[in-house]
Amino acid sequence: AVGIETTPETRLGPMRITDVRVLLRYPARLTLLEVCTDDGIVGLGSTASPPSMISAIINDPIDGLRQFVVGKDPTDPGAIWCQMTQQWPSQRGRADRSGLQGNAMGALDMALWDIAGKAAGKPVHQLLGSARVDRVMAYGSGSTMYYGSGKQDGRSKTGRQRNCKTAEVIATECAKLRDHGFKAVKYGWGNNFGAEGMAMLDAARSALGPAIRLSVDFGCPAYFDPAWTPDNAIAAAKKLEEFDVYFFEEALHPLDVDGFARVTAATSIHVASGESLTTTEEFDQFIRHHALDIVQPD
């Protein structure tokens, strides 16, 4: 009734979403949001996107995603997802579901599942069909480059200047990760497959020993080089095979399904990618074409 505040005990019908709050006090590349309900349950969602942009996508008074969320039942995330992905694009010229708008929808969806889990008194993985594993291997992560200002290993740097580490530094870092108990290590490698790069890879493998997994991430921005082709990636993978590399990540531009399929078929190393993909449809293209061994939703 108008003017009478309902409580979970007196309210008729399902729980309803009352508000979406985009929290702007976090770093510029991370957005945390809250979805509030009339039951007092608050769901949390996040995305590695600028808060000001995510806020605009959600809160625009005419086209914002808020219209598909506020007033709805948060314990049915699937229905809200369908509304966001089917009705909103038709209002915006059939826009796709990737990029910042996909990230905004993903953060909302995450918060809705958080609410559904809290309302049911269950972890979300049980709502999604239960866990398949109860232990996950963690890997230590490093880069072949120095970033930032100051001096490291005698190399002066200003701002975002990049300087390549020596094989000795790589070996020291890997030994520390090994001694910390990591069973796997990954390095951001870039286009570093010449003699110096192979010396660093040899140092890493020697420091880690044969039992610890070593992986290499080609990655951004290296894959934007127009001169880099699937043939180059295959040649690089062949070099990595000599050092028992476990997986080769983002060996090509992340949307190159055909190129990834060629690389995957040509090497014994696991080929990995996916952090730039957003929807199940995008991942499905890679899976159906056997273009990846490891998919990496971000």
Side-chain angles (χ1 to χ4, degrees), residues 247-264:
F247 68 71
F248 188 15
E249 181 174 343
E250 291 205 309
L252 295 167
H253 188 283
L255 301 182
D256 187 358
V257 178
D258 293 337
F260 267 103
R262 284 187 56 199
V263 177
T264 300

Side-chain angles (χ1 to χ4, degrees), residues 167-228:
E168 291 76 15
V169 171
I170 295 290
T172 299
E173 291 179 350
C174 286
K176 289 181 179 179
L177 292 169
R178 178 200 65 208
D179 294 343
H180 277 306
F182 285 102
K183 303 302 181 185
V185 170
K186 185 184 82 172
Y187 264 87
W189 209 255
N191 191 356
N192 199 16
F193 298 105
E196 184 178 12
M198 293 303 99
M200 289 191 292
L201 199 60
D202 184 54
R205 173 49 72 202
S206 297
L208 293 173
I212 296 177
R213 292 177 176 177
L214 173 62
S215 296
V216 166
D217 184 356
F218 184 68
C220 180
Y223 58 58
F224 285 125
D225 182 354
W228 185 259

Side-chain angles (χ1 to χ4, degrees), residues 28-39:
R29 293 183 61 195
L30 173 65
T31 299
L32 185 67
L33 59 80
E34 297 177 331
V35 174
C36 305
T37 70
D38 60 1
D39 214 18

Side-chain angles (χ1 to χ4, degrees), residues 63-78:
D63 293 327
L65 287 169
R66 171 184 290 272
Q67 64 184 298
F68 301 109
V69 178
V70 173
K72 301 300 194 303
D73 177 2
T75 63
D76 191 3

